[in-house]
Amino acid sequence: MRHIGLALLAAALLAAMGLEGKTVKTAGQEVALGPGRGRMYVSLPADSVNTGRAVVLCPGGRYGYKEMVSEGFAWMPYLNGLGYAAIVVDYTLPAGNPALPVGDVEEALRTVRRRAAEWGIKPGEVGIFGFSAGGHLASYVATNSRGDARPDFQCLFYPVVTMDSAYTHLPSRENLIGRGASPADVRRYSNELNVDSTSPRAFIGANANDVKVPPQNSINYYLALIGHGVPASLHVYPDGGHGWGLSKQITFRRQIMDELEAWLRSF
């Protein structure tokens, strides 16, 4: 629990400094994902606590910007304290071309596995965290990518999952696939429709009073996972709204972090 306190203190300082959602000094080792691609930032745990696990983080921002602090860099000390390598992806924004962010995150996962020995990572224990629109990106890669580009587990926080106009987050949908998206693209990027029995296990956290991204996104994804026999854990909290990351104080912070850690210890 000491590590949670340190992470929350660091995140609170970032928020108090007015850094959330703004250009900030990066953290960790910067690694380019290739010509014309995004970048990722790698922070490794101390050898004394290293579990060999790694997490690739996808910040949200409605596919129009990226919350690199509260949904990225602020998680580094917390995850490192648990013995996890933390890799924050500064992915390319789609502007109507979903292949851009998807390709960056896939390449980040491949890079982590290629450099696993160098970084003290077990190639078969590489997960993905996603927040809001970053949760859509994470769950898309989890359900559609294959081989070294597929994560071994997924943790989604107040995620956009569907492109169904009935309960999607419209700005995220328009930034990802455009206003005139075809029915085929709507289906292709509705991740709840693409789950199968090989999809990675999942932890999903949502808030009942989220007025930006309806919790139905999380609930329907959870139902799809368990419907295919995939281990999944859904946590819908009555309060918290949207976009809390690690830089915003919310009523159920302690419960969320305790349940996340318990889930991570369960496999």
Side-chain angles (χ1 to χ4, degrees), residues 94-117:
N97 182 359
L100 297 176
V102 170
D104 283 352
V105 173
E106 288 182 333
E107 184 57 24
L109 286 158
R110 293 189 193 101
T111 301
V112 170
R113 291 187 167 114
R114 279 197 302 267
R115 300 183 67 172

Side-chain angles (χ1 to χ4, degrees), residues 217-262:
N217 283 263
S218 296
I219 294 166
N220 288 343
Y221 190 60
Y222 168 77
L223 291 174
L225 288 165
I226 63 170
H228 285 85
V230 177
S233 182
L234 174 66
H235 306 264
V236 181
Y237 303 93
D239 185 48
H242 186 79
W244 36 263
L246 269 184
S247 293
K248 188 182 293 183
Q249 296 304 312
I250 57 173
T251 303
F252 294 93
R253 167 73 66 199
R254 180 66 62 192
Q255 289 87 342
I256 292 168
M257 305 312 285
D258 284 351
E259 288 166 353
L260 172 63
E261 289 187 31

Side-chain angles (χ1 to χ4, degrees), residues 56 58 63 98-110 113 127-128 134-154 156 188-189 191 194 198-200 221:
V56 170
C58 302
Y63 281 124
L100 297 176
V102 170
D104 283 352
V105 173
E106 288 182 333
E107 184 57 24
L109 286 158
R110 293 189 193 101
R113 291 187 167 114
I128 196 165
H136 180 271
L137 182 55
S139 58
Y140 179 86
V141 170
T143 54
N144 291 277
S145 302
R146 296 292 182 267
D148 284 347
R150 183 174 231 183
D152 299 299
F153 57 93
Q154 54 182 317
L156 310 176
R188 179 179 179 183
Y189 293 98
N191 300 330
N194 298 313
T198 69
S199 298
Y221 190 60

Side-chain angles (χ1 to χ4, degrees), residues 140 163 173 177 180-190 193-194:
Y140 179 86
M163 294 289 106
R173 169 177 154 153
I177 57 176
S182 68
D185 277 346
V186 169
R187 192 199 185 287
R188 179 179 179 183
Y189 293 98
S190 292
L193 302 179
N194 298 313

Side-chain angles (χ1 to χ4, degrees), residues 160-199:
V160 180
V161 172
T162 194
M163 294 289 106
D164 185 334
S165 59
Y167 62 103
T168 190
H169 179 243
L170 190 58
S172 295
R173 169 177 154 153
E174 291 182 351
N175 286 330
L176 182 69
I177 57 176
R179 292 187 177 182
S182 68
D185 277 346
V186 169
R187 192 199 185 287
R188 179 179 179 183
Y189 293 98
S190 292
N191 300 330
E192 77 280 8
L193 302 179
N194 298 313
V195 171
D196 62 28
S197 61
T198 69
S199 298

